[in-house]
Amino acid sequence: MVDISRVLAILQCTVLIIIVILSILYILLSISISRLRHRLHAFHINVCMSILCCCIYWLVQYCMSETSPRQFYSARTCSVVFYFQTMCTLQVPLSMIVVSIHRLCCVVYHNKLFFKSIQWISTCIISQWLIGIVISLPIFIRNPAVKFYFYQRKAQKYMFRFLSFRFAV
């Protein structure tokens, strides 16, 4: 009998591989064709890079969850997996927001040269990636699944000591 979750995972991996190939192709064409070397295409390349980052993460996650889910979601790697999941997925909407902010500033401040410069574009792109990295950091500080695992282990250790002391006397 066919396992429907296995078929869906293979379908998801196939779609993600196609997206990765198309993103790489678009990035390479944008860099190599001289007509496409415009300041706005830096934002298109940034959006493609964030989509590429997101797709590669989800591709690795689907492959790892199908092959070895216990190692992928162990207590040691749980925070790191959730951090990269949040960070990589968050980069796609943040890149769209950065494009919107850039367009807004270009329209509102059309006579200011700073908003047309390479410094503004690089500031927007770098701030987008830094904001995505920083916003995802609280997962390391307060991850209840990891804390519950360590509290559970600590409680088992103390319970075992208490019971062994009670019955030893």
Side-chain angles (χ1 to χ4, degrees):
M1 192 147 165
V2 176
D3 186 17
I4 194 76
S5 64
R6 193 89 142 162
V7 172
L8 287 176
I10 291 171
L11 182 66
Q12 288 171 339
C13 288
T14 306
V15 169
L16 288 173
I17 288 172
I18 291 170
I19 292 172
V20 165
I21 291 170
L22 291 176
S23 298
I24 291 173
L25 186 67
Y26 182 80
I27 290 170
L28 291 176
L29 287 175
S30 294
I31 292 172
S32 64
I33 297 175
S34 62
R35 286 184 308 181
L36 298 178
R37 290 189 193 142
H38 191 266
R39 282 181 247 136
L40 288 178
H41 288 285
F43 289 106
H44 296 165
I45 291 173
N46 182 41
V47 171
C48 270
M49 289 296 290
S50 61
I51 290 171
L52 188 66
C53 174
C54 182
C55 286
I56 288 174
Y57 169 78
W58 285 106
L59 187 63
V60 168
Q61 183 188 12
Y62 288 140
C63 291
M64 289 295 291
S65 64
E66 285 297 317
T67 57
S68 58
R70 289 180 187 242
Q71 291 175 353
F72 193 63
Y73 290 113
S74 68
R76 292 181 184 170
T77 61
C78 191
S79 294
V80 177
V81 168
F82 289 141
Y83 171 76
F84 279 109
Q85 178 179 349
T86 305
M87 196 251 324
C88 292
T89 307
L90 188 63
Q91 291 300 333
V92 177
L94 283 177
S95 66
M96 303 286 183
I97 291 170
V98 164
V99 171
S100 300
I101 289 172
H102 172 71
R103 294 304 298 159
L104 175 75
C105 290
C106 284
V107 168
V108 172
Y109 304 109
H110 59 86
N111 54 357
K112 303 283 184 183
L113 292 177
F114 175 71
F115 295 109
K116 298 176 184 177
S117 68
I118 300 294
Q119 289 86 11
W120 169 249
I121 293 170
S122 59
T123 302
C124 288
I125 292 172
I126 290 170
S127 64
Q128 172 237 319
W129 284 94
L130 287 176
I131 287 171
I133 291 169
V134 170
I135 284 178
S136 303
L137 281 177
I139 289 176
F140 285 124
I141 298 169
R142 297 187 52 102
N143 189 348
V146 174
K147 286 187 177 183
F148 177 73
Y149 173 77
F150 287 115
Y151 289 147
Q152 185 180 15
R153 298 283 292 185
K154 189 185 258 186
Q156 286 175 352
K157 183 173 69 172
Y158 288 128
M159 186 60 90
F160 179 72
R161 283 185 187 168
F162 175 73
L163 291 175
S164 64
F165 178 72
R166 289 277 272 172
F167 292 118
V169 176

